[in-house]
Amino acid sequence: MVYKIRGVFYTLLFVPFLLIAQEKFTLSGTVIDNQSNETLIGVNILVPEIQSGTMTNEYGFYSITLPRGTYNVQISFLGFKTITETIVLDKDISRNFKLSESAESLDEVVITEDVERLDLKKPQMSVNALSINTIKQMPVVLGEVDVIKSITLLPGVTNAGEGSSGFNVRGGGADQNLILLDEATIFNSSHLFGFFSVFNPDAIKDIKLYKGGIPAKYGGRVSSVLDIYQKEGNSSEFHMNGGIGLISSRLLAEGPIKKEKGSFLVGGRSSYAHLFLPLFDLDNIAYFYDLNTKLSYRFNKNNSVYLSGYFGRDVFELANSFSNTYGNTVLNFRWNHLFSDKLFSNLSLIYSDYYYGLELAFVEFDWESGIRNFNLKYDLKHYINNNFKLEYGLNSIYYKFNPGEINPTTETSGINSFKLIDKYAFENAIYLDAEHKLSNKLSVSYGARFSTFHRLGQDELNIYENDNPVIFNEEIGIYEKAEPAGTLNFNRTDVIESFANIEPRFSASYQLNEISSIKVSYNRLSQYLHLLSNTSSPTPLDVWTPSGKYVKPQLLDQVAIGYFKSFNENLYSLEVETFYKKIKNRIDYIDGADLIANNAIEQVILNGEARAYGLEVLLRKNEGKLKGWLAYTLSKSEQKTQGRTAAETGINNGNWYNTPYDKTHDIALTANYELSKKWSFSSNLIFQTGQPATFPNGQYTYNGIVIPSYESRNSSRLPAYHRLDIAVNYVPKPEGNKKFKGEWVFGIYNIYNRRNAASISFRENRITGTNEAVRLAIFGIVPSVSYNFKF
């Protein structure tokens, strides 16, 4: 009895001390740039004493919960000086950190966000990040810095060639990429039909490309997510920077609205090469302009608001007979609210619009089309503890599709006004994502997104016999349009068709040792919008259409496995990934499909399937005077549309065929060498397998007309694509007046003048009467010079 009493006594005596020892507190706050007060994304907050850490989120916020104690907290971000601060954690503490740049050069060269060993433990894979300063160092055509062209130097990312818009990820179509600018959807990412991107590099803060293992907060596209955030503006002091090039210039101004609390940012770009065309007796005009704006204001440590916008237009005129105008408009209001040191929220109200206008003066009519959406997003991030974090939220989008409208420009044109039927849709989603550290070696991320899509009522909808808008003519073996059996009329609030999908997401990381890990991921994604295009890359004339009664949503399943390793204390890093993905309901077109001004697009569409698989290797050198990476992709991308019955042939006889963006080999070598503070050199070497193409394999004569016959779809290829680019950066006064900094950038695109084929067409030689192949090349060697400044 005495021993029992004594045991209870000792237990009661030591329990309070045990509870105190196990007591935990939270350290939270934001990390900002010391010079501009700009929040920093992806900063590492490390606690060496217990080998724990976290990273700042998209808004620079961090939260970490630790046992009571004293810690030397390290805050590190590549391109900035690492700081260490001693924190006595005996209560919940809110602490903001300021980081200073590690160099005073105009453009500090940074390959990615911090790639330290902590990343080996994170389950996230198949994601690439590029610093905008790295992108500015890359050689580019005509000296215009291009975000989209830069990401094609990463493994698994290609495009359809020079002068093409959009990009392709892991064998997917350009329309399967979700492109976000401050959370707003960008429907066309290119200026001047693909020669330049719509993103002003001076206004960009952070770029991430998700190719797989896509978090549940993203949805609506099945190939990738390109998430771009604009800078917030300098809340400490006024600054301007810009650049002057051969064909375009840019200027950006930023400064405080109220010092340390509010800021503004305004940036503009414009091309002006068209101003010189009259010197060569050319009446043609081609130019673009865009405007980036952002207002930020922090009311207190728990509440901040942001208002950001983008407006861009392209104008192309041909001898006063043809005029084309198109572009994006987006506006986003965001409210960041901190409920507690462990619960962060963001509410966004977003407007996005893509407009396409075409005026044909010689036939006296104009054409307009576009897509518009209104988007409500509410996202929360919950830091339960160091080993468990939750992200959850909801998203609702209302769409209005304008497939096209024709109006006469004169009373004598003979053209009657004609309006294709507007379409409407409502897309909703809720999601939950968990990041769970199960042990020191094993971390997992798991969650799901539940999405719904409602095709809303429209003025008129065709109905067909057996709900079949495409019929197969067995006598001649081709697909033909079915005649409508009638039409239905709806109110705007009616629901024509509904879809619902559960999209699970899972990824895991197992750390083999301090410098290597293996990762796996699986995700399912749904895409309810389709781009109607029969070209290898998007064009401004392409039209988006929603899923509905006759067009089903695309569904993707993707798995990936990877090996990641760092060498020599992160001097080098290696990433190797292999992937396989399969897509249901990938739309295909019957032969001879007419996609423009078609009020019954369902009559030329068939639902098929697609698949892609491959191997990606990325070897990087992260430090030293010479930095860069080698990216290699070995992949296959195919599509198949089988007959719906035994009598139907399907597309390409129901066999798999190469997609237009299938490239077996893709190699990119990117390097930057800093010779001194004044001189630095950069280069790109690119090799790609030629783009798939369909060539004629014979001809026959019918009623005196020569008709070519063609081989199987995409069974041939264009010649291999390769080129070498170089650039030289010169800073005249690196140690000069710190209030003004300038640099010259000299570049040569395609230095050995390779005439890469954009297309090959066939024609009859008028002199010899024989058939001949004609190669079309966009660029040969292109020198450039530009001047960048900052003050």
Side-chain angles (χ1 to χ4, degrees):
M1 176 68 69
V2 173
Y3 287 108
K4 288 184 179 180
I5 294 174
R6 186 176 298 171
V8 171
F9 172 77
Y10 284 131
T11 300
L12 293 175
L13 180 65
F14 285 106
V15 160
F17 293 99
L18 292 172
L19 291 175
I20 292 174
Q22 294 174 353
E23 196 173 7
K24 294 185 177 182
F25 299 101
T26 298
L27 174 67
S28 63
T30 57
V31 182
I32 61 177
D33 184 328
N34 185 48
Q35 183 178 7
S36 66
N37 283 335
E38 188 91 27
T39 58
L40 298 175
I41 303 172
V43 177
N44 284 307
I45 315 296
L46 305 173
V47 186
E49 287 88 347
I50 59 173
Q51 295 184 344
S52 184
T54 189
M55 299 176 74
T56 56
N57 67 6
E58 295 87 348
Y59 309 98
F61 177 78
Y62 75 92
S63 176
I64 186 169
T65 302
L66 305 169
R68 175 195 291 264
T70 301
Y71 301 98
N72 295 309
V73 180
Q74 296 179 359
I75 301 91
S76 64
F77 190 49
L78 203 61
F80 289 78
K81 295 178 182 178
T82 298
I83 63 173
T84 301
E85 187 167 327
T86 301
I87 302 292
V88 178
L89 198 62
D90 54 4
K91 60 182 179 180
D92 291 337
I93 296 177
S94 176
R95 181 68 55 86
N96 299 331
F97 297 105
K98 292 187 176 183
L99 296 183
S100 301
E101 292 187 14
S102 59
E104 296 296 328
S105 61
L106 180 65
D107 284 319
E108 177 71 15
V109 180
V110 183
I111 290 180
T112 65
E113 291 185 350
D114 215 343
V115 191
E116 298 197 30
R117 295 173 186 171
L118 185 65
D119 288 342
L120 295 172
K121 299 180 180 181
K122 295 182 70 65
Q124 179 66 61
M125 64 181 298
S126 304
V127 59
N128 294 115
L130 278 178
S131 161
I132 194 63
N133 294 324
T134 298
I135 293 174
K136 287 182 177 180
Q137 296 284 339
M138 294 179 179
V140 287
V141 65
L142 299 172
E144 182 65 27
V145 176
D146 195 315
V147 170
I148 300 297
K149 296 295 189 298
S150 299
I151 65 173
T152 62
L153 299 173
L154 298 170
V157 188
T158 63
N159 62 12
E162 292 170 330
S164 62
S165 60
F167 58 97
N168 308 103
V169 176
R170 290 184 170 177
D175 64 308
Q176 296 173 329
N177 303 314
L178 178 63
I179 303 175
L180 302 173
L181 178 63
D182 273 352
E183 301 181 335
T185 303
I186 300 294
F187 287 99
N188 188 324
S189 61
S190 299
H191 280 309
L192 295 182
F193 305 101
F195 287 105
F196 310 106
S197 80
V198 300
F199 304 108
N200 183 343
D202 291 338
I204 301 304
K205 172 181 178 179
D206 184 72
I207 302 170
K208 280 192 178 69
L209 176 67
Y210 297 87
K211 301 178 293 185
I214 297 174
K217 67 179 179 179
Y218 300 110
R221 301 293 188 276
V222 295
S223 192
S224 74
V225 177
L226 179 61
D227 198 3
I228 299 177
Y229 280 89
Q230 293 188 119
K231 294 164 59 177
E232 295 162 8
N234 193 320
S235 64
S236 296
E237 54 188 8
F238 179 80
H239 284 282
M240 294 186 73
N241 63 280
I244 303 171
L246 294 178
I247 66 167
S248 68
S249 292
R250 62 189 191 276
L251 183 66
L252 181 139
E254 56 182 328
I257 298 174
K258 184 176 181 181
K259 196 165 185 178
E260 308 295 333
K261 293 183 74 68
S263 62
F264 73 90
L265 178 146
V266 180
R269 283 192 307 170
S270 180
S271 63
Y272 38 71
H274 65 287
L275 299 178
F276 303 101
L277 295 180
L279 300 176
F280 304 96
D281 293 326
L282 295 175
D283 294 331
N284 304 334
I285 293 177
Y287 66 92
F288 72 86
Y289 60 91
D290 53 32
L291 178 69
N292 296 78
T293 61
K294 194 164 189 177
L295 300 174
S296 307
Y297 195 85
R298 181 172 61 87
F299 291 97
N300 51 50
K301 69 176 184 178
N302 294 331
N303 294 280
S304 299
V305 294
Y306 308 88
L307 180 64
S308 58
Y310 167 86
F311 178 82
R313 283 294 183 266
D314 284 73
V315 178
F316 177 69
E317 294 183 9
L318 185 61
N320 296 320
S321 62
F322 170 94
S323 177
N324 182 203
T325 303
Y326 64 93
N328 301 278
T329 302
V330 300
L331 187 66
N332 183 11
F333 172 78
R334 287 183 292 151
W335 172 37
N336 285 176
H337 177 65
L338 192 63
F339 287 99
S340 70
D341 53 12
K342 292 188 176 184
L343 183 58
F344 179 92
S345 71
N346 176 71
L347 174 68
S348 297
L349 302 174
I350 306 166
Y351 168 81
S352 180
D353 174 83
Y354 174 69
Y355 167 82
Y356 177 83
L358 179 65
E359 183 177 345
L360 300 174
F362 65 95
V363 289
E364 299 178 335
F365 77 85
D366 60 24
W367 163 274
E368 292 184 348
S369 65
I371 178 174
R372 180 178 301 168
N373 72 44
F374 300 89
N375 187 355
L376 168 67
K377 287 175 77 269
Y378 192 44
D379 305 292
L380 298 101
K381 188 162 187 176
H382 203 162
Y383 300 82
I384 306 297
N385 56 50
N386 281 355
N387 297 327
F388 192 70
K389 301 178 181 65
L390 287 177
E391 288 191 61
Y392 44 91
L394 56 86
N395 185 199
S396 292
I397 309 175
Y398 174 79
Y399 296 97
K400 179 184 178 182
F401 302 83
N402 175 13
E405 181 177 2
I406 294 175
N407 289 299
T409 55
T410 66
E411 295 181 357
T412 60
S413 68
I415 301 293
N416 295 322
S417 296
F418 176 69
K419 178 78 172 71
L420 298 179
I421 297 172
D422 287 340
K423 301 171 184 176
Y424 305 86
F426 194 35
E427 182 176 356
N428 300 284
I430 58 173
Y431 73 89
L432 174 66
D433 237 345
E435 185 175 327
H436 195 174
K437 182 180 178 182
L438 299 176
S439 70
N440 286 333
K441 291 182 176 291
L442 180 62
S443 296
V444 296
S445 176
Y446 49 89
R449 181 182 183 91
F450 178 67
S451 62
T452 63
F453 189 84
H454 305 285
R455 177 71 176 272
L456 301 179
Q458 61 191 55
D459 294 341
E460 189 177 276
L461 178 71
N462 291 334
I463 56 174
Y464 301 89
E465 185 178 348
N466 300 322
D467 282 341
N468 191 0
V470 181
I471 59 175
F472 184 72
N473 188 325
E474 295 186 28
E475 292 184 2
I476 56 178
I478 64 171
Y479 287 95
E480 297 177 337
K481 300 177 181 179
E483 288 295 328
T487 59
L488 296 175
N489 300 97
F490 297 91
N491 294 319
R492 193 71 66 242
T493 56
D494 294 337
V495 176
I496 299 174
E497 195 80 10
S498 292
F499 305 94
N501 287 287
I502 298 176
E503 307 171 24
R505 316 286 172 91
F506 173 81
S507 59
S509 171
Y510 182 78
Q511 192 167 8
L512 300 173
N513 50 49
E514 288 297 313
I515 60 172
S516 65
S517 65
I518 56 173
K519 300 183 181 183
V520 296
S521 69
Y522 164 78
N523 57 236
R524 163 164 280 209
L525 292 157
S526 303
Q527 179 168 338
Y528 300 101
L529 306 188
H530 311 265
L531 186 66
L532 302 176
S533 174
N534 55 7
T535 59
S536 57
S537 69
T539 69
L541 193 57
D542 297 336
V543 174
W544 290 86
T545 191
S547 297
K549 187 174 180 62
Y550 306 112
V551 183
K552 306 304 179 186
Q554 300 178 65
L555 301 174
L556 168 133
D557 290 288
Q558 178 176 222
V559 293
I561 183 169
Y563 174 74
F564 304 81
K565 185 173 183 177
S566 63
F567 304 88
N568 297 351
E569 297 183 350
N570 202 45
L571 177 62
Y572 299 94
S573 59
L574 173 67
E575 301 175 19
V576 181
E577 292 190 35
T578 182
F579 68 91
Y580 177 86
K581 64 182 186 181
K582 190 171 183 178
I583 301 173
K584 298 179 181 178
N585 302 325
R586 179 60 171 163
I587 61 174
D588 207 341
Y589 309 103
I590 65 174
D591 293 333
D594 53 325
L595 303 181
I596 300 174
N598 189 340
N599 217 4
I601 199 67
E602 68 274 3
Q603 295 177 344
V604 296
I605 288 177
L606 292 174
N607 287 318
E609 58 182 310
R611 67 183 181 188
Y613 47 92
L615 174 72
E616 300 171 354
V617 180
L618 180 62
L619 176 64
R620 292 183 294 209
K621 186 175 185 295
N622 300 313
E623 300 174 9
K625 286 185 172 291
L626 176 65
K627 303 181 182 74
W629 66 84
L630 172 65
Y632 172 68
T633 306
L634 172 67
S635 64
K636 188 70 174 176
S637 174
E638 298 175 300
Q639 191 164 336
K640 180 172 71 173
T641 304
Q642 293 180 306
R644 296 164 297 183
T645 66
E648 293 187 10
T649 60
I651 303 297
N652 199 51
N653 293 318
N655 298 319
W656 288 103
Y657 63 90
N658 296 325
T659 64
Y661 19 87
D662 171 62
K663 295 186 178 180
T664 308
H665 302 283
D666 183 6
I667 304 172
L669 177 62
T670 300
N672 180 277
Y673 181 74
E674 185 180 359
L675 179 65
S676 65
K677 291 185 177 181
K678 283 190 174 185
W679 294 94
S680 63
F681 305 86
S682 58
S683 65
N684 301 326
L685 177 61
I686 298 169
F687 174 88
Q688 295 175 351
T689 301
Q691 185 177 327
T694 305
F695 295 147
N697 58 4
Q699 64 183 39
Y700 60 92
T701 303
Y702 180 76
N703 290 337
I705 301 175
V706 177
I707 301 174
S709 61
Y710 288 88
E711 61 190 3
S712 299
R713 186 176 290 195
N714 288 345
S715 57
S716 293
R717 290 184 181 274
L718 300 179
Y721 178 98
H722 54 87
R723 73 171 200 269
L724 172 65
D725 313 324
I726 63 170
V728 178
N729 287 46
Y730 172 62
V731 182
K733 297 180 179 180
E735 305 294 346
N737 186 353
K738 292 185 178 181
K739 291 185 178 180
F740 183 91
K741 301 176 184 178
E743 74 169 1
W744 290 92
V745 181
F746 307 92
I748 302 179
Y749 179 90
N750 194 3
I751 191 171
Y752 54 80
N753 199 30
R754 164 74 175 177
R755 307 295 292 180
N756 289 299
S759 66
I760 292 180
S761 59
F762 295 83
R763 69 186 183 189
E764 180 181 322
N765 188 298
R766 294 183 178 181
I767 298 176
T768 64
T770 59
N771 294 331
E772 62 182 7
V774 180
R775 173 192 296 207
L776 172 64
I778 303 295
F779 291 120
I781 183 172
V782 183
S784 65
V785 59
S786 59
Y787 180 74
N788 298 323
F789 57 88
K790 181 178 182 180
F791 61 89

